[in-house]
């Protein structure tokens, strides 16, 4: 009995450690992105995203092929490769749009908009598969959207272009999750998230390289010049890129060691923690009505998760 109790305690602490690492990497990359793109003045979101994808390509290869953290799943056909490429393109769009929005909007507001992901997921699922949810599930999406409308109307640092980019990033994330379920639904094509990232990240680099050259000319020479005057920019970029990979790694491990419901609850709480920490660090002005709007959105997301669970 004593051994069993000790094993349970170790398992509990292991899970707590995993969740803490997931929170730290998620919130860390978000705050560092904001600092680099807005406060530090490194105004190159496409190049920054490419750095993230290079790190994800390298670390994914090391984790899957060298350390064999999960069994390597091979691409079985040209069609499967095209499907993964389509997901990679949408993934690129979501990350780039999210990084662009951080140039113009505070983290607290982007988290409020990001919480509307269930709304877009339900919308795309209906549009692409004609899958209908119970009316109660759709009703829970009303406070999700209403909260963002309220938060937008009272956001002191509201920026229209940043808002459009943030909504685009949220919609792209939802579209990727729906498409992933459709495109890789057969048993022969299913990939776990670690293997999917292994293949998607290099495709993303291939897409982002010409985009960086066209949209952010001379970014490499500008970064080198910056590094000569402030070497910290290199360390910021390296840490930021490593964190981008660990977001995906810890997300996979938390999913593996907890239930889907626990993951949803933790995800909702993570957004709230990110809001509080970002306000403490960046001191961005937040109105009481704006915070109430965010609380309304998170409440709607919790109700949506509960309604989805009951409808299964």
């Amino acid at each position: 009995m004593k051994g069993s109790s000790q094993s349970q305690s170790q398992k509990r602490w292991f899970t707590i450690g995993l969740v803490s690492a997931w929170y730290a990497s998620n919130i860390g990359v978000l705050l560092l992105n904001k600092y680099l793109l807005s406060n530090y003045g490194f105004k190159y979101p496409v190049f920054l995203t490419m750095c993230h994808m290079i790190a994800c390509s390298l670390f994914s290869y090391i984790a899957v092929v060298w350390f064999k953290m999960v069994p390597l799943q091979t691409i079985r056909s040209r069609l499967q490769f095209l499907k993964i490429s389509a997901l990679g393109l949408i993934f690129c769009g979501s990350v780039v749009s999210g990084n662009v929005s951080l140039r113009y909007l505070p983290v607290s507001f982007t988290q409020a908009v990001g919480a509307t992901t269930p709304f877009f997921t339900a919308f795309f699922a209906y549009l692409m598969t004609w899958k209908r949810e119970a009316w109660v599930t759709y009703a829970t999406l009303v406070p999700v959207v209403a909260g963002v409308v309220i938060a937008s109307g009272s956001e002191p640092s509201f920026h229209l272009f940043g808002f459009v980019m943030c909504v685009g990033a949220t919609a792209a994330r939802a579209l990727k999750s729906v498409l992933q379920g459709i495109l890789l639904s057969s048993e022969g094509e299913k990939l776990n998230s670690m293997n999917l990232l292994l293949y998607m990240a290099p495709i993303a680099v291939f897409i982002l390289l010409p985009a960086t050259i066209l949209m952010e000319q001379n970014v490499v020479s500008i970064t080198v010049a910056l590094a000569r005057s402030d070497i910290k920019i290199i360390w910021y970029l390296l840490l930021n890129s490593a964190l981008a990979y660990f977001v995906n790694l810890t997300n996979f491990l938390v999913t593996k060691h907890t239930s889907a419901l626990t993951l949803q609850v933790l995800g909702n709480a993570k957004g709230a923690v990110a809001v509080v920490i970002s306000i403490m660090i960046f001191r961005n002005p937040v109105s009481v009505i704006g915070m109430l709007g965010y609380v309304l959105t998170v409440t709607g997301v919790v109700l949506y998760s509960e309604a989805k669970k009951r409808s299964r």
Side-chain angles (χ1 to χ4, degrees):
M1 287 294 287
K2 188 178 179 182
S4 175
S5 175
Q6 191 174 11
S7 175
Q8 287 264 335
S9 178
Q10 287 175 344
K11 187 178 178 182
R12 190 183 308 115
W13 281 110
F14 177 73
T15 304
I16 290 169
L18 271 183
V19 171
S20 299
W22 182 48
Y23 270 42
S25 57
N26 266 273
I27 296 170
V29 77
L30 185 66
L31 297 180
L32 199 46
N33 281 349
K34 175 63 180 175
Y35 175 74
L36 283 169
L37 294 166
S38 183
N39 297 63
Y40 189 87
F42 188 79
K43 299 176 180 178
Y44 305 102
V46 181
F47 176 73
L48 186 62
T49 306
M50 189 175 74
C51 290
H52 290 178
M53 293 303 105
I54 291 170
C56 286
S57 302
L58 178 63
F59 286 125
S60 291
Y61 185 83
I62 292 169
V64 178
V65 178
W66 286 9
F67 289 108
K68 303 186 187 302
M69 287 185 67
V70 294
L72 175 65
Q73 296 171 285
T74 56
I75 296 177
R76 301 190 176 189
S77 66
R78 182 184 292 181
L79 181 60
Q80 188 185 16
F81 174 75
L82 291 173
K83 290 175 179 179
I84 293 168
S85 299
L87 292 172
L89 180 61
I90 296 165
F91 182 56
C92 271
S94 70
V95 179
V96 170
S97 299
N99 284 341
V100 170
S101 71
L102 286 170
R103 276 188 61 187
Y104 303 98
L105 297 171
V107 172
S108 53
F109 186 62
T110 61
Q111 288 297 288
V113 176
T116 61
T117 301
F119 168 79
F120 289 103
T121 304
F123 174 74
F124 287 126
Y126 177 73
L127 204 65
M128 303 174 80
T129 66
W130 296 104
K131 181 186 174 185
R132 294 190 180 188
E133 303 287 351
W135 70 268
V136 176
T137 306
Y138 288 123
T140 60
L141 293 173
V142 174
V144 171
V145 177
V148 170
V149 171
I150 292 167
S152 303
S154 58
E155 173 55 48
S157 308
F158 183 82
H159 189 284
L160 182 59
F161 179 69
F163 176 70
V164 171
M165 286 292 101
C166 194
V167 171
T170 305
R173 275 196 300 273
L175 178 61
K176 177 188 165 288
S177 67
V178 173
L179 274 178
Q180 189 173 324
I182 297 169
L183 297 180
L184 303 177
S185 57
S186 67
E187 283 303 317
E189 291 187 330
K190 278 184 180 175
L191 296 173
N192 62 50
S193 60
M194 294 279 280
N195 275 275
L196 185 59
L197 185 66
L198 173 67
Y199 296 118
M200 273 199 325
I203 291 168
V205 174
F206 183 76
I207 295 165
L208 289 166
L209 182 59
T212 303
I213 293 167
L214 288 170
M215 297 168 67
E216 298 174 349
Q217 294 175 9
N218 304 319
V219 65
V220 175
S221 58
I222 291 166
T223 305
V224 170
L226 265 174
R228 283 176 182 155
S229 60
D230 183 11
I231 193 64
K232 284 188 291 186
I233 183 65
I234 300 299
W235 294 110
Y236 286 147
L237 290 173
L238 288 172
L239 176 61
N240 190 243
S241 300
L243 282 173
Y245 172 72
F246 282 104
V247 166
N248 292 283
L249 174 64
T250 53
N251 185 74
F252 170 78
L253 292 172
V254 170
T255 305
K256 184 179 177 181
H257 289 278
T258 65
S259 66
L261 179 61
T262 303
L263 192 71
Q264 286 177 339
V265 173
L266 290 171
N268 296 334
K270 176 172 60 67
V273 172
V275 168
V276 173
I277 292 175
S278 70
I279 292 170
M280 288 170 64
I281 291 174
F282 297 112
R283 306 286 181 183
N284 55 284
V286 180
S287 66
V288 175
I289 296 174
M291 285 305 295
L292 287 173
Y294 179 69
V295 169
L296 182 61
T297 294
V298 172
T299 303
V301 171
V302 172
L303 293 172
Y304 174 82
S305 302
E306 187 64 25
K308 284 279 286 182
K309 186 183 74 169
R310 289 175 183 272
S311 65
R312 287 192 184 116

